Amino acid sequence: MQERFYIDPYQTTLQTTVMRHDDAGLVLGDTLCYPLGGGQPGDTAQLALADGGVLAITDTRRDKATREIVHLLAADAPRLAEGTAVTLTLDWARRHRHMRVHTCLHLLSVVIKAGVTGGNLTTESGRLDFDLPEGMELDREFIESELNRLISEDHPVAVQMTSGAALKRQPELIKTMSVTPPLELPEIRLIAIEGIDLQPCGGTHVQRTGEIGAVTVKKIESKGARNKRVVLALLD
């Protein structure tokens, strides 16, 4: 299976075939759909059939055992035979908002220089939890101003590849304290925001920070003696 969301996260339509459809879900020869992971929701989409029928993909997950990408359909959806030709159309509006929020969370990790203990995102907002050094305080207005400055500077965003061995020699690139990238792999994906940030990430991102649009910091919450949660939201 080609995971085309890594090759081109802006591709919205794909002609492919059914590999398997059973109680676990639908596996396709190729897919555009990003599976739930790294705090980013799984994609939704539509499948168009040769007879004119349309089926809704309600979620996308990765099978932990096989690593296959499984597309979830309604329980009453008809079973598709192996080899069935289908046209997959991504719910692009939803995905693009995920991309905007996800890239903005990377900028948030630039503005707040502390370890990240967790994160999540939706189409409207995203949050990161930070393990703050003793005595460090967070200023909501400063964070919001810095985020919007970095967004307006329109920095290019690109994918780079490294190895697990190389990443071990650059532990400062790993900002997440709760999840460590699979350092045993020969290739690990990095997201580079030119001149600003470089860190491992398997999610989908916009091409330039200006594409994020204006954001606001909705709230800052205390989640423990050192743990602070920062929630941001898109303004459009």
Side-chain angles (χ1 to χ4, degrees), residues 1-235:
M1 173 186 288
Q2 283 196 317
E3 300 176 354
R4 291 177 178 262
F5 50 84
Y6 285 145
I7 300 169
D8 179 8
Y10 288 80
Q11 184 178 351
T12 60
T13 305
L14 172 71
Q15 292 184 332
T16 185
T17 57
V18 172
M19 301 295 289
R20 188 179 72 254
H21 191 186
D22 54 26
D23 290 344
L26 174 70
V27 176
L28 299 171
D30 299 313
T31 188
L32 304 172
C33 293
Y34 177 85
L36 172 72
Q40 182 172 328
D43 281 328
T44 56
Q46 287 190 331
L47 276 180
L49 309 179
D51 64 5
V54 177
L55 301 177
I57 294 172
T58 58
D59 201 354
T60 308
R61 305 292 178 93
R62 189 183 291 278
D63 185 279
K64 292 181 180 179
T66 67
R67 305 300 295 164
E68 291 177 318
I69 293 178
V70 180
H71 308 78
L72 305 184
L73 286 75
D76 60 352
R79 291 289 174 89
L80 301 179
E82 180 181 348
T84 300
V86 294
T87 300
L88 177 65
T89 302
L90 185 67
D91 184 345
W92 169 246
R94 180 174 179 270
R95 152 76 79 74
H96 189 237
R97 293 184 72 87
H98 290 164
M99 292 164 61
R100 291 167 61 197
V101 174
H102 201 155
T103 305
C104 194
L105 290 177
H106 281 224
L107 295 181
L108 182 61
S109 75
V110 171
V111 175
I112 302 175
K113 294 174 172 46
V116 175
T117 59
N120 210 336
L121 66 92
T122 70
T123 56
E124 306 299 326
S125 65
R127 57 94 173 166
L128 289 180
D129 297 342
F130 293 93
D131 180 51
L132 299 184
E134 186 174 351
M136 182 176 177
E137 299 291 336
L138 298 181
D139 183 313
R140 178 185 172 279
E141 291 185 2
F142 171 78
I143 295 168
E144 183 172 297
S145 174
E146 284 296 286
L147 284 174
N148 283 298
R149 177 181 67 81
L150 293 172
I151 290 167
S152 66
E153 288 174 352
D154 200 25
H155 297 273
V157 181
V159 174
Q160 297 181 8
M161 301 303 293
T162 189
S163 67
L167 192 56
K168 285 180 183 179
R169 296 192 293 269
Q170 295 178 287
E172 69 278 5
L173 298 183
I174 304 172
K175 298 187 178 184
T176 53
M177 300 172 65
S178 57
V179 180
T180 302
L183 298 177
E184 72 280 2
L185 294 181
E187 282 196 326
I188 294 178
R189 188 172 180 266
L190 304 174
I191 296 298
I193 303 177
E194 188 173 293
I196 299 297
D197 188 47
L198 179 66
Q199 62 177 290
C201 182
T204 58
H205 291 270
V206 294
Q207 293 177 330
R208 305 187 69 90
T209 62
E211 200 173 330
I212 297 167
V215 300
T216 185
V217 174
K218 291 179 66 177
K219 58 185 175 181
I220 298 175
E221 300 176 299
S222 178
K223 293 295 179 179
R226 294 165 52 99
N227 206 38
K228 302 294 182 183
R229 174 170 294 176
V230 181
V231 183
L232 58 82
L234 300 176
L235 287 178

